[in-house]
Amino acid sequence: MSEPITGSDEAVIDRPLNIPEYFLLLCLDEKKGRLLLDGPTVGMGIAGAAITELARRGRLEVTGTTVRSIEHPEQVFAADPNPPAWASATDLEWPLEQVWDIINAFTRHRDAEQWINRFSRQSLRDAVAASLVKRRIVEEGESTVLWIFHRTRYVERDHHVEQELRERIRAVLMEGLPADDLTWPLISLLRTTRLLHRLFPDVDKAKVRAAALTPAGSAATRQSMAEALLATENAVAEALTATTGGASALD
């Protein structure tokens, strides 16, 4: 499996950001444009976010042992009395479409954690970043370290997008508002990647754990999303153990 996640000529449309885009935005220092986490951890977080977003949209069924692609998401939400707006949509925005196509074309058994490790490469991160650039939410630039090493940076142009998202997450964690199918997975991903307490240092850990582990959104997709988020947590924990030689608890 060596298919790259490539660029896109997709027209810019007015749509909400998806979970991978929101997660990457939260991983960026809004002024300096650098990542707040190491690259491999961000990569696994974005890969997990992509699998979770596809489960949220009814395009993947995720269990503890396998990931199954779904051609007709409207069937997933058929019993939902209040189906989400995308329940009848068949199109996916780039690069989610490429991720789904790769999973759909794969004929052998592979679980969510294996897919997360597969998609944790920089190509998916770059594609998600390019999407944010195209939406004019961040601006791409370069910096030089020690006059030799060139680094790409993504400085925010539109601060309102992240500010609004942070307010929604803070309302869940600090004010007890119920999470939804966006804030719940993002809180889980931020907790898994050890970024949440850097962004919200005053939040009680017990409230974080409760919000991260309490599924929200459509009953049709909650379990698949929860399995994708658990697989992300496992992938990050295993990578951390391999790097440090010992496990590190989340709380």
Side-chain angles (χ1 to χ4, degrees), residues 60-137:
L60 292 179
E61 179 187 35
V62 185
T63 70
T65 58
T66 191
V67 175
R68 182 177 70 88
S69 60
I70 298 172
E71 292 275 1
H72 303 289
E74 68 275 10
Q75 297 176 1
V76 175
F77 298 101
D80 192 330
N82 297 298
W86 53 73
S88 59
T90 57
D91 294 335
L92 290 168
E93 65 272 18
W94 165 89
L96 288 175
E97 182 179 10
Q98 286 185 292
V99 172
W100 187 85
D101 284 344
I102 292 170
I103 294 174
N104 186 50
F106 198 63
T107 57
R108 291 184 295 163
H109 166 83
R110 178 169 280 190
D111 62 29
E113 189 174 341
Q114 290 173 308
W115 280 118
I116 288 165
N117 285 317
R118 158 68 181 89
F119 289 120
S120 65
R121 303 168 187 173
Q122 189 169 344
S123 58
L124 179 57
R125 188 181 83 191
D126 289 347
V128 174
S131 180
L132 292 175
V133 171
K134 200 165 190 176
R135 298 287 299 277
R136 301 179 68 82
I137 295 171

